[in-house]
Amino acid sequence: MRSSFLLLLTFLLGVTDIQAGSDFRVCAFNTQHFGESKSQKSDVMQTLVKIITRCDVCLLQEVRDSKGKALKLLLEHLKRYDTKHEYKAVASERLGRSETYQEQYVFVYRTDTVTVADQYQYPDDKPGDIDAFSREPFVVRFRAPKTAIKEFVLIPQHTTPANTTKELDALYDVLQHVKKMWKTENVMLLGDFNAGCGYLAKKNRKRVRLITDQNLFWLIQENTDTTVRSSTSCSYDRIVVNGETFHRAILPSSAKPFNFQVEYRLTEEQVTALLVSDHYPVEVLLKVVDSRGLDGGTSITSGNQFIALFVLSHVAFQILTR
Ligand SMILES: *[C@@H]1O[C@H](CO)[C@@H](O)[C@H](O)[C@H]1NC(C)=O
């Protein structure tokens, strides 16, 4: 009897271990023209804030906020909505080939779990690599002590659909440059790569080093739908990690689109979801270390969970010894 009780306790501990404090979430969201107009719509902002506060770090793309008002408003909303955490943002310059159409990359992050260690704007014209991108990556190095990886670099990219193949291949040069510059292998590339449907032809993929390099792990699979419209099913938004070490620091099978339409019961008919964006965010969980500094991936973090576990094992004990 006692041995089965111990077995059950071990099992319960295991279950709790998986569920407790296991999340450090990195997200990438194409907000489809986030600017003043969207920031004035309270239900759109409410949904955006709910989405962003799920993440420890959230990359926003297609931020079109020429006066800087929308981002400021977003941060105020975040503060009001989530009082348990504090959020900051680090934003790129406005990027784009034409004066009239520009976008910013913005990383919103929780200040209690993440700090910005460094940032780097990939230049417009690099010798031998003349203006490959419409929106050159705004690369940020983050420190996140509670994760197993501790420190990592995020390379964002929102490709131009017509140039997807070329831009994805050029992203490989950015990766090599960043690895050398900061002497790290722990790099993640993420964003709306337009890496699906008609924009990335199958026959071109063997020319894309970001795809062919065996050291890169594409976490969002090709058949995944990252688009809101039911009439489309394309894996535009992707997350790619460089190297075994970083790959091992990812919670297996955690990379996925976040279907906020279903999660928040928004309907396409009322276009509520589409008012927010035509993309789903994509996200991935990094393993966390517990307070004793063990790389367990997870730990019992709250007293409540401990009490729940205690009650559960007590009940189990009663049943087993009856
Ligand atoms: C595609 O890339 C070329 C440069 O390589 C650029 O001249 C062109 O404007 C790009 N197309 C779009 C739609 O941005």
Side-chain angles (χ1 to χ4, degrees), residues 46-317:
Q46 180 71 12
T47 307
L48 271 175
V49 156
K50 269 156 79 177
I51 292 170
I52 295 168
T53 51
R54 300 176 68 253
C55 315
D56 289 82
V57 183
C58 186
L59 161 68
L60 304 177
Q61 303 147 83
E62 248 189 80
V63 173
R64 303 204 55 212
D65 180 26
S66 49
K67 300 199 189 89
K69 283 187 186 165
L71 187 57
K72 190 163 167 277
L73 209 57
L74 179 67
L75 285 166
E76 283 167 18
H77 277 260
L78 288 169
K79 188 173 180 166
R80 229 173 300 147
Y81 180 78
D82 183 1
T83 48
K84 288 202 300 287
H85 303 279
E86 205 190 305
Y87 294 86
K88 275 191 179 165
V90 57
S92 72
E93 297 297 316
R94 304 196 308 125
L95 305 161
R97 287 207 166 98
S98 89
E99 276 306 314
T100 51
Y101 187 87
Q102 307 224 306
E103 297 179 10
Q104 283 173 289
Y105 296 114
V106 176
F107 291 95
V108 177
Y109 60 96
R110 286 183 181 166
T111 55
D112 54 326
T113 52
V114 194
T115 54
V116 170
D118 221 332
Q119 63 188 66
Y120 168 67
Q121 178 60 60
Y122 195 74
D124 204 12
D125 279 304
K126 237 175 147 276
D129 172 26
I130 309 210
D131 199 11
F133 302 101
S134 290
R135 300 167 277 270
E136 287 73 19
F138 172 65
V139 188
V140 180
R141 183 176 199 173
F142 290 99
R143 218 163 263 151
K146 85 171 212 182
T147 63
I149 196 85
K150 305 283 184 223
E151 206 175 282
F152 56 86
V153 175
L154 298 183
I155 301 182
Q157 180 57 28
H158 176 205
T159 67
T160 300
N163 280 339
T164 293
T165 310
K166 186 172 56 107
E167 294 192 4
L168 284 183
D169 186 62
L171 216 44
Y172 190 79
D173 296 319
V174 181
L175 171 65
Q176 302 316 313
H177 181 72
V178 166
K179 274 164 56 174
K180 217 159 127 190
M181 176 176 68
W182 284 335
K183 297 181 179 55
T184 181
E185 288 292 319
N186 303 333
V187 183
M188 180 185 284
L189 305 104
L190 73 175
D192 177 8
F193 288 3
N194 283 300
C197 290
Y199 299 131
L200 183 63
K202 281 217 162 64
K203 63 173 166 43
N204 292 335
R205 292 181 192 183
K206 55 183 178 298
R207 294 195 285 117
V208 178
R209 288 164 294 163
L210 204 71
I211 295 172
T212 56
D213 188 325
Q214 297 294 307
N215 206 32
L216 289 163
F217 301 88
W218 287 62
L219 304 181
I220 305 279
Q221 301 312 317
E222 208 177 304
N223 54 4
T224 312
D225 183 13
T226 72
T227 65
V228 170
R229 283 193 182 87
S230 50
S231 57
T232 55
S233 178
C234 308
S235 47
Y236 290 148
D237 303 80
R238 301 297 190 109
I239 299 173
V240 176
V241 288
N242 173 68
E244 264 302 330
T245 309
F246 205 171
H247 193 217
R248 271 200 305 272
I250 301 279
L251 210 68
S253 311
S254 64
K256 61 173 180 62
F258 177 66
N259 188 333
F260 62 90
Q261 193 174 13
V262 167
E263 295 284 337
Y264 303 146
R265 291 165 216 237
L266 310 174
T267 58
E268 194 185 351
E269 295 78 62
Q270 298 168 313
V271 286
T272 335
L274 281 169
L275 281 178
V276 180
S277 179
D278 56 353
H279 287 254
Y280 295 134
V282 287
E283 60 180 42
V284 67
L285 298 179
L286 308 193
K287 288 181 187 166
V288 301
V289 291
D290 67 23
S291 52
R292 295 182 301 270
L294 300 171
D295 181 4
T298 46
S299 65
I300 300 165
T301 48
S302 78
N304 282 347
Q305 276 154 352
F306 188 79
I307 290 162
L309 181 69
F310 180 80
V311 171
L312 266 171
S313 17
H314 190 73
V315 170
F317 185 72

